């Protein structure tokens, strides 16, 4: 913005020069324009008058360049009065900036007990952070760097805003950044999200009175300018801006993303500093600007700080110790107190219970207890009989606001929102006084709950109160900021289950004299719904959220009823808290048969997760948690052990060998997908094959074993003690060089029934070596998977011989290879042979056209064993598809499942498909609208899963192929193949 202040009157400075001084000034100016690398302006010359020059300079150059040149020229001319006037102006503007920042920050701090206590506490405990911030912006410090960004990271309510406020206030009071920072420009994501286009000058001036900021002085020395950007994770746009679009002109109006990136890349204000706050996120907005020289500070509420907090709050050693012991002994409460605000709520509740002479250990066992006491005490602390009625109404309106806000993704409420649910100004004052609703720190003239947990708890009460829906005005806004987008109601349901416990519910019901009407209905619904899920396990993909709800409830009979029908459980463990909750609920899972466990982080826990008496058929764990593995493996009913995505150490191999060698071990399937196993580990794997008496299936998919590694495995597969029947080597970096060893196993081995070599560069030579042994009757192989192995139709005649002569082969997957019509003709000859026993063949994405469909149609009417055929993603055309449909409709065709490309066929052909479906209702058509993403991990999804691409199919699993190769898929029913 243009400076209208007389201090910036350029003409005044020029008119106070004599004619001789003015001529010298112009000569110096011409030299400074070159020194500053500014563009030459023809009209700025020795003939220009003072008035012309005063008018030309502002329209030719940015203000900071003009005044920096003027100050430098006046120094050389020894015009001390002019220099002192500029220095005085800059000093006044620096003080004005501090006064401006003081007013802005003070508006964010309200004078309430909670705020005062937190201010004092953070002043004491954040000294280490202030020390880092002091050194980071000190250009003489070894911790500093050019164009430094300081990232202040922390979870919700971790104190990021408080830390920034305190740091800026210390700067204002002369306690930090003296002679280092002259100006601070404070920006929040909420402010930025309201903008579309802006110049840097406008962005800086937004907080100044009437938008008149001393831009020239602020930008005169960027190395003393600090930009604070709060909540960058909440920005509504991405910052992946093309470098060519960046701008260096502070007065040019550009889209906000370009402006921010130009600043962060220092195209504007080169040399300035940045202090950026954010919640931990993987967004590119953080990654793309984080340099190795930047400073990264994480705010965490450590155990030491929590102890200091409790002692500071209670100011009574006995009470503080009692409260700390209660929290430390409970993983749930410990997790709650990792946030300063929730720590304050916990301390407030425990203090009040101690004041009443109650034992906090019995009345504050769960977060539901704490929040119920917090609301009850806060709303009724001074209430008599009449006041109880008033506060019940206040609670009802509060819950209405909370639920309406969550359902409409609104966490910051306007005055109109508050009036919409019936709040008066007095109500708002009461709620603010008891620290339930507080002024928003990010949204002007708005209120928010002291913490999201309190809003979620109130929403849970609203559900059990059966309050009517409330469409709060702010909820109808089209655009929602990222931090306002609320879609995970797990915590709300956890609180609902907590309130189903009679003792916890009584905290509210006794206080307000009101019975929550929906409790019995929800209890009945929960039990019935779980019975329904027991009949359809696929609808509940993991049980962690349910277990947290039941742990919050802890009514034994109710928990038993809810989990009674569970036969399969999937649990993800990341912490002691997850372990504790899972242990509690698993105790009541009397009919559990399948347990899928993923340990995602190693942590210490002493209790066994699965009791020896539990009957389990499947365990999946995703960590090197060896003690847990040993405990689980003792279970005699365990038949499937998955260690996918795990770093397998030598100790782990030794433990696996010990487990598999035991006569009591029943593990039949070991899955080691994506474990980064290499040839050097194949000796250990081979040892498992030789010594694993019960092991029948080994999955090594997505490991770079290479040829050397597979050669080692092949030797073990021929060992007389090896009883393996199924081996998966999908995407293991294999070539034709290992195929002679594999062929030897197929020819001489006696146990291997299933071999999966999909997505390996075997080519013609390798595939020939693998398929040749199938001609001999000694080969026992029943299923062979060669999709994506880079072979051509040159060897299809040999594959056709295998199809025609092998009496044991039942399934052959050869999709995503260059078979083409010529190769298909040869394969059809084998499929028509009366000795062909094949049940399934996969030919998806094999470059087939309608020219091969006549031969394929004859197969459908002559082959009496083929039940499944997949020719998706081939360009058959209407004519080719019609030929196949004509055969499919005939009674001689015994096919049960067909993958037929129907996306581009005509309406008439589609009507013919419907006719075939009517005539043969048991025939299943696979759709070509696969939803496969590039880069997806190789794995399986249930066909009945929501969003599945095979609706109403009797297929139990779909198998994804290697993600980098196309969207081809392999399919199989559980009758012939178990999932990877």
């Amino acid at each position: 913005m243009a400076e209208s202040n007389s201090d910036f009157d350029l003409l005044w400075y020029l008119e106070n020069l004599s004619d001789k001084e003015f001529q010298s000034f112009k000569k110096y100016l011409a030299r400074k324009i070159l020194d500053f690398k500014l563009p030459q302006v023809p009209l700025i010359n020795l003939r220009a008058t003072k008035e012309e020059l005063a008018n030309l300079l502002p329209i030719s150059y940015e203000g900071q360049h003009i005044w920096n040149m003027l100050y430098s020229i006046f120094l050389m001319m020894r015009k001390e009065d002019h220099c002192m006037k500029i220095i005085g102006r800059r000093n006044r503007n620096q003080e004005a900036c501090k006064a401006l920042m003081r007013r802005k920050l003070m508006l964010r701090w309200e004078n309430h007990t909670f705020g005062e206590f937190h201010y004092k506490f953070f002043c004491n405990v954040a000294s280490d952070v202030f020390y880092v911030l002091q050194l980071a912006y000190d250009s003489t410090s070894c911790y500093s760097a050019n164009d430094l960004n300081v990232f202040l990271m922390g979870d919700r309510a971790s104190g990021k805003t408080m830390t920034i406020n305190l740091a800026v206030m210390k700067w204002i009071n002369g306690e930090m950044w003296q002679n280092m920072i002259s100006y601070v420009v404070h920006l929040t994501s909420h402010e930025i999200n309201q903008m579309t286009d802006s110049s840097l000058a406008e962005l800086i001036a937004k907080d100044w009175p009437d938008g008149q900021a001393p831009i020239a002085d602020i930008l005169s020395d960027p190395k003393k300018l600090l930009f604070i950007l709060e909540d960058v994770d909440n920005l509504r746009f991405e910052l992946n801006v093309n470098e060519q679009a960046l701008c260096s002109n502070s007065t040019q109006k550009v889209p906000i993303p370009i402006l921010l990136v130009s600043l962060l890349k220092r195209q504007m204000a080169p040399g300035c500093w940045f202090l950026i706050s954010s919640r931990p996120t993987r967004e590119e907005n953080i990654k793309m600007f984080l340099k190795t020289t930047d400073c990264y500070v994480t705010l965490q509420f450590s155990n030491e700080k929590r102890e200091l907090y409790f002692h500071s709050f209670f100011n009574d050693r006995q009470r503080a110790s009692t409260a700390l012991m209660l929290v430390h002994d409970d993983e749930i409460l410990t997790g709650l107190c990792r946030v300063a605000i929730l720590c304050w709520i916990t301390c407030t509740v425990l203090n009040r219970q101690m004041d009443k002479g109650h034992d906090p250990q019995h009345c504050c066992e769960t977060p539901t207890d704490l929040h119920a006491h917090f609301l009850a005490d806060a709303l009724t602390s001074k209430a008599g009989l009449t006041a109880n009625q008033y506060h019940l109404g206040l609670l009802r309106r509060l819950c209405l606001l909370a639920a309406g806000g969550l359902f409409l993704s609104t966490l910051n409420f306007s005055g109109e929102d508050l009036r919409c649910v019936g709040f008066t100004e007095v109500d708002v004052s009461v709620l603010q006084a008891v620290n339930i609703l507080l002024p928003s720190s990010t949204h002007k003239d708005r209120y928010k709950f002291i913490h999201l947990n309190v809003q979620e708890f109130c929403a849970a009460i609203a559900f059990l109160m059966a309050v009517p829906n409330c469409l709060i005005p702010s909820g109808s806004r089209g655009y929602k900021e990222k931090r306002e987008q609320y879609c995970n109601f797990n915590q709300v349901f956890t609180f609902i289950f907590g309130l189903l416990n009679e003792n916890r519910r009584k905290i509210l019901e006794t206080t307000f004299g009101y019975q929550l009407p929906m409790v019995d209905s929800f209890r009945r619904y929960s039990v019935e719904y779980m019975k329904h899920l027991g009949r359809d396990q696929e609808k509940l993909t993991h049980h962690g959220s349910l277990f947290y709800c039941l742990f919050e409830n802890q009514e034994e009979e109710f928990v038993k009823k809810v989990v009674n029908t569970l036969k399969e459980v999937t649990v993800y463990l990341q912490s002691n808290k997850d372990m504790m909750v899972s242990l509690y609920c698993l105790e009541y899972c009397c009919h559990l048969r399948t347990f899928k466990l993923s340990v995602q982080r190693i942590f210490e826990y002493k209790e066994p997760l699965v009791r020896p008496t539990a009957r389990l058929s499947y365990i999946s764990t995703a960590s090197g948690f060896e003690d847990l593995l040993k405990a689980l493996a003792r279970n005699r009913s365990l038949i499937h052990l998955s260690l996918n995505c795990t770093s397998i150490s030598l100790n782990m191999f030794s433990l696996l060998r010990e487990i598999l060698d035991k006569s009591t071990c029943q593990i039949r399937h070991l899955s080691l997908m994506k474990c980064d196993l290499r040839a050097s580990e194949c000796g250990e794997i081979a040892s498992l094959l030789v010594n694993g008496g019960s092991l029948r299936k080994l999955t090594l998919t997505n490991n770079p074993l290479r040829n050397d590694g597979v050669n080692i495995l092949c030797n073990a597969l021929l060992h007389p003690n090896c009883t393996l029947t199924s081996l998966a080597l999908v995407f293991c970096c294999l070539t034709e060089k290992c195929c002679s060893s594999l062929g030897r196993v197929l020819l001489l081995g006696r146990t291997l029934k299933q071999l999966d070599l999909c997505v390996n560069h075997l080519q013609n030579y390798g595939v020939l070596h693998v398929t040749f042994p199938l001609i001999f009757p000694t080969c026992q192989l029943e299923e062979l998977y060669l999709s994506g192995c880079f072979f051509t139709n040159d060897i299809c005649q040999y594959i056709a011989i295998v199809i025609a002569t092998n009496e044991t082969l039942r399934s052959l997957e050869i999709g995503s290879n260059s078979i083409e019509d010529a190769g298909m003709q040869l394969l059809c000859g084998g499929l028509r042979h009366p000795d062909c026993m094949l049940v399934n063949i996969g030919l998806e994405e094999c470059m087939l056209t309608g020219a091969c469909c006549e031969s394929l149609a004859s197969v459908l009417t002559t082959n009496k064993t083929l039940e499944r055929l997949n020719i998706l993603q081939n360009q058959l055309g209407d004519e080719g598809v019609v030929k196949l449909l004509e055969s499919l409709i005939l009674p001689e065709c015994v096919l049960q499942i067909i993958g037929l490309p129907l996306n581009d066929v005509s309406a008439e052909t589609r009507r013919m498909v419907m006719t075939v479906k009517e005539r043969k209702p048991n025939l299943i058509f696979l759709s070509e609208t696969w939803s496969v993403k590039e880069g997806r991990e190789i794995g399986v999804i249930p066909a009945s899963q929501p969003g599945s691409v095979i609706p109403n199919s009797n297929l139990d699993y779909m198998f994804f192929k290697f993600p980098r190769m196309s969207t081809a898929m392999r399919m199989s029913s559980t009758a012939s193949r178990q999932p990877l």
Side-chain angles (χ1 to χ4, degrees), residues 465-485:
M465 269 187 169
V467 299
N469 292 333
C470 179
L471 299 177
I472 58 175
S474 293
S476 60
R477 296 197 312 270
Y479 166 71
K480 294 289 183 182
E481 292 186 333
K482 290 181 181 179
R483 289 193 176 182
E484 291 245 341
Q485 293 169 9

Side-chain angles (χ1 to χ4, degrees), residues 608 612 627 629-638 659 662 664:
D627 290 340
L629 177 60
K630 186 178 291 187
L632 293 172
R634 294 193 191 104
N635 192 293
R636 295 190 178 188
S637 59
L638 178 62
I659 292 170
K662 290 184 181 298
T664 56

Side-chain angles (χ1 to χ4, degrees), residues 135-384:
L135 291 179
Y137 300 125
D138 183 354
S139 57
T140 64
S141 166
C142 61
Y143 296 98
S144 187
N146 292 331
D147 299 336
L148 182 78
N149 301 319
V150 175
F151 290 88
L152 191 63
M153 311 299 290
D155 292 318
R156 179 194 300 273
S158 60
K160 298 183 295 295
T161 296
M162 180 69 78
T163 300
I164 289 173
N165 287 353
L166 289 170
V168 175
M169 290 302 293
K170 283 179 173 289
W171 167 69
I172 291 171
N173 296 329
E175 300 170 20
M176 275 182 68
W177 303 332
Q178 292 309 296
N179 302 317
M180 294 156 50
I181 302 294
S182 298
Y183 295 94
V184 169
V185 178
H186 181 263
L187 307 166
T188 67
S189 62
H190 178 67
E191 293 170 331
I192 295 171
N193 287 340
Q194 314 307 309
M195 303 176 185
T196 52
D197 297 341
S198 174
S199 67
L200 176 58
E202 290 172 331
L203 188 71
I204 292 173
K206 66 178 179 58
D207 291 326
W208 288 73
D210 300 322
Q212 296 297 318
I215 301 298
D217 287 351
I218 293 174
L219 296 177
S220 64
D221 187 1
K223 292 183 178 179
K224 290 191 174 183
L225 173 59
L226 173 64
F227 286 94
I228 296 177
L229 179 54
E230 283 199 62
D231 310 329
V232 71
D233 60 292
N234 189 45
L235 291 178
R236 63 183 173 88
F237 41 73
E238 301 300 322
L239 297 178
N240 51 343
V241 174
N242 191 311
E243 293 277 345
Q244 296 178 344
L246 300 184
C247 175
S248 60
N249 189 338
S250 64
T251 62
Q252 182 180 343
K253 185 174 284 192
V254 293
I256 283 293
I258 293 177
L259 177 59
L260 286 180
V261 175
S262 298
L263 270 173
L264 287 163
K265 295 279 189 180
R266 276 39 175 212
Q267 292 290 316
M268 291 180 177
C272 68
W273 310 96
F274 260 93
L275 174 57
I276 301 169
S277 74
S278 176
R279 293 178 188 171
T281 175
R282 296 180 178 177
E283 285 191 28
E284 292 304 314
N285 280 357
I286 297 292
K287 285 185 178 179
M288 68 176 64
F289 298 110
L290 181 60
K291 307 186 296 294
T292 55
T293 54
D294 286 340
C295 185
Y296 194 95
V297 180
T298 302
L299 295 182
Q300 292 181 328
F301 208 58
S302 63
N303 292 337
E304 294 77 12
K305 288 182 179 178
R306 181 167 60 244
E307 289 185 15
L308 179 61
Y309 190 101
F310 273 62
H311 284 288
S312 300
F313 182 94
F314 287 100
N315 203 23
D316 181 309
R317 178 169 300 197
Q318 182 63 38
R319 284 196 171 192
S321 298
T322 301
L324 278 169
M325 189 177 299
L326 172 65
V327 170
H328 286 169
D329 289 345
D330 190 307
E331 289 290 338
I332 302 292
L333 296 184
T334 299
L336 201 69
C337 289
R338 288 196 176 99
V339 176
I341 293 177
L342 296 179
C343 217
W344 180 83
I345 290 175
T346 302
C347 290
T348 299
V349 170
L350 294 177
N351 197 39
R352 287 173 180 167
Q353 294 307 305
M354 292 178 193
D355 286 341
K356 296 175 183 179
H358 298 160
D359 182 358
Q361 192 164 4
H362 294 300
C363 57
C364 298
E365 295 178 336
T366 69
T368 301
D369 292 328
L370 282 171
H371 287 81
H373 280 301
F374 176 69
L375 277 183
D377 291 341
L379 292 180
T380 64
S381 55
K382 299 179 181 179

Side-chain angles (χ1 to χ4, degrees), residues 731-883:
F731 186 37
C732 287
C733 305
L734 310 182
T735 71
E736 71 274 11
K737 293 182 179 179
C738 70
C739 290
S740 58
S741 296
L742 287 167
R744 191 161 55 93
V745 170
L746 297 181
L747 185 63
L748 303 177
R750 292 290 181 267
T751 62
L752 198 64
K753 307 288 186 185
Q754 182 188 82
L755 178 61
D756 193 340
L757 297 171
C758 289
V759 201
N760 286 292
H761 202 252
L762 306 186
Q763 302 184 91
N764 289 350
Y765 184 78
V767 172
L768 275 177
H769 268 286
V770 171
T771 55
F772 178 73
L774 275 69
I775 297 174
F776 297 91
T778 55
C779 179
Q780 302 297 310
L781 201 68
E782 297 177 0
E783 300 178 35
L784 179 61
Y785 301 92
L786 296 169
S787 295
C789 286
F790 300 91
F791 67 85
T792 68
N793 54 28
D794 292 341
I795 62 167
C796 284
Q797 57 182 320
Y798 304 106
I799 297 177
I801 293 172
V802 171
I803 292 173
T805 59
N806 189 295
E807 296 183 359
T808 59
L809 190 65
R810 295 293 181 267
S811 181
L812 179 64
E813 291 282 348
I814 51 176
S816 298
N817 290 295
S818 301
I819 292 174
E820 302 178 326
D821 294 332
M824 193 66 239
Q825 299 283 2
L826 296 170
L827 295 178
C828 286
L831 290 167
R832 285 193 297 266
H833 196 281
D835 291 336
C836 173
M837 303 301 292
L838 213 59
V839 175
N840 169 64
I841 186 166
L843 295 159
E844 72 281 3
E845 199 180 30
C846 286
M847 304 182 189
L848 308 181
T849 71
C852 71
C853 287
E854 189 170 345
S855 293
L856 195 52
S858 68
V859 170
L860 300 183
T861 56
T862 57
N863 188 299
K864 300 306 178 186
T865 62
L866 195 65
E867 297 177 357
R868 296 184 297 278
L869 170 65
N870 185 0
I871 48 175
L872 287 169
Q873 300 186 55
N874 289 291
Q875 304 299 318
L876 305 184
D878 276 288
E879 186 178 349
V881 172
V882 168
K883 287 179 181 178

Side-chain angles (χ1 to χ4, degrees), residues 604-655:
E604 183 178 359
Y605 199 86
K606 300 301 183 184
E607 293 296 321
L609 179 59
V610 181
R611 302 297 183 243
T613 55
R615 288 198 59 206
L616 304 173
S617 63
Y618 176 91
I619 289 289
S620 170
T621 176
S623 84
F625 201 16
E626 298 172 14
D627 290 340
L628 173 64
L629 177 60
K630 186 178 291 187
L632 293 172
R634 294 193 191 104
N635 192 293
R636 295 190 178 188
S637 59
L638 178 62
I639 60 174
H640 183 175
L641 177 62
S642 170
L643 299 173
N644 297 337
C645 305
T646 304
S647 178
I648 309 292
S649 64
L650 290 176
N651 287 339
M652 181 73 83
F653 275 119
S654 178
L655 176 59

Side-chain angles (χ1 to χ4, degrees), residues 447-502:
Y447 289 84
K448 67 187 301 181
F449 284 82
I450 184 174
H451 190 270
L452 179 61
N453 276 22
V454 176
Q455 184 173 352
E456 290 169 327
F457 183 72
C458 290
I461 299 173
F463 183 87
L464 296 177
M465 269 187 169
V467 299
N469 292 333
C470 179
L471 299 177
I472 58 175
S474 293
S476 60
R477 296 197 312 270
Y479 166 71
K480 294 289 183 182
E481 292 186 333
K482 290 181 181 179
R483 289 193 176 182
E484 291 245 341
Q485 293 169 9
Y486 188 87
C487 57
N488 186 351
F489 283 81
N490 283 345
Q491 188 58 55
V492 176
F493 279 102
T494 300
F495 281 135
I496 290 174
F497 273 79
L499 289 170
L500 296 183
N501 181 297
E502 184 178 0

Side-chain angles (χ1 to χ4, degrees), residues 367-587:
T368 301
D369 292 328
L370 282 171
H371 287 81
H373 280 301
F374 176 69
L375 277 183
D377 291 341
L379 292 180
T380 64
S381 55
K382 299 179 181 179
L385 181 62
T386 306
N388 272 338
Q389 297 303 313
Y390 165 72
H391 284 87
L392 176 60
L394 197 61
L395 175 65
R396 187 186 297 273
R397 293 191 289 276
L398 189 66
C399 295
L400 188 61
L401 181 72
L406 294 185
F407 279 110
L408 296 174
S409 290
T410 303
L411 306 181
N412 294 276
F413 302 97
S414 66
E416 189 180 4
D417 298 333
L418 301 179
R419 290 189 292 273
C420 178
V421 299
F423 280 136
T424 64
E425 290 185 8
V426 173
D427 294 338
V428 176
S429 298
V430 169
L431 293 173
Q432 188 174 346
V434 295
N435 298 306
I436 293 176
L437 279 185
L438 300 177
S440 173
S441 62
T442 56
H443 293 58
K444 187 178 180 182
D445 298 327
R446 287 180 178 264
Y447 289 84
K448 67 187 301 181
F449 284 82
I450 184 174
H451 190 270
L452 179 61
N453 276 22
V454 176
Q455 184 173 352
E456 290 169 327
F457 183 72
C458 290
I461 299 173
F463 183 87
L464 296 177
M465 269 187 169
V467 299
N469 292 333
C470 179
L471 299 177
I472 58 175
S474 293
S476 60
R477 296 197 312 270
Y479 166 71
K480 294 289 183 182
E481 292 186 333
K482 290 181 181 179
R483 289 193 176 182
E484 291 245 341
Q485 293 169 9
Y486 188 87
C487 57
N488 186 351
F489 283 81
N490 283 345
Q491 188 58 55
V492 176
F493 279 102
T494 300
F495 281 135
I496 290 174
F497 273 79
L499 289 170
L500 296 183
N501 181 297
E502 184 178 0
N503 292 331
R504 297 189 172 94
R505 193 168 65 250
K506 277 184 177 179
I507 299 169
L508 295 173
E509 291 182 341
T510 303
T511 301
F512 294 99
Y514 174 78
Q515 302 292 312
L516 296 174
M518 296 298 294
V519 171
D520 291 337
S521 298
F522 190 82
R523 289 173 71 95
R524 288 193 300 271
Y525 171 79
S526 300
V527 174
E528 290 303 316
Y529 184 67
M530 287 307 299
K531 287 181 181 178
H532 171 68
L533 285 182
R535 295 188 291 269
D536 189 1
Q537 292 288 341
E538 299 297 343
K539 288 189 176 180
L540 192 60
T541 55
H542 71 90
H543 298 74
S545 300
L546 172 65
F547 283 2
Y548 269 90
C549 289
L550 296 175
F551 186 81
E552 191 75 12
N553 177 270
Q554 293 198 10
E555 280 190 356
E556 186 173 337
E557 290 305 314
F558 176 67
V559 173
K560 282 182 180 178
K561 288 180 181 179
V562 171
V563 301
N564 187 53
T565 59
L566 290 179
K567 295 181 181 179
E568 178 176 315
V569 166
T570 301
V571 172
Y572 297 92
L573 298 183
Q574 297 189 65
S575 64
N576 279 323
K577 184 168 61 173
D578 296 335
M579 180 78 89
M580 179 179 68
V581 168
S582 299
L583 269 174
Y584 173 81
C585 294
L586 287 170
E587 288 282 2

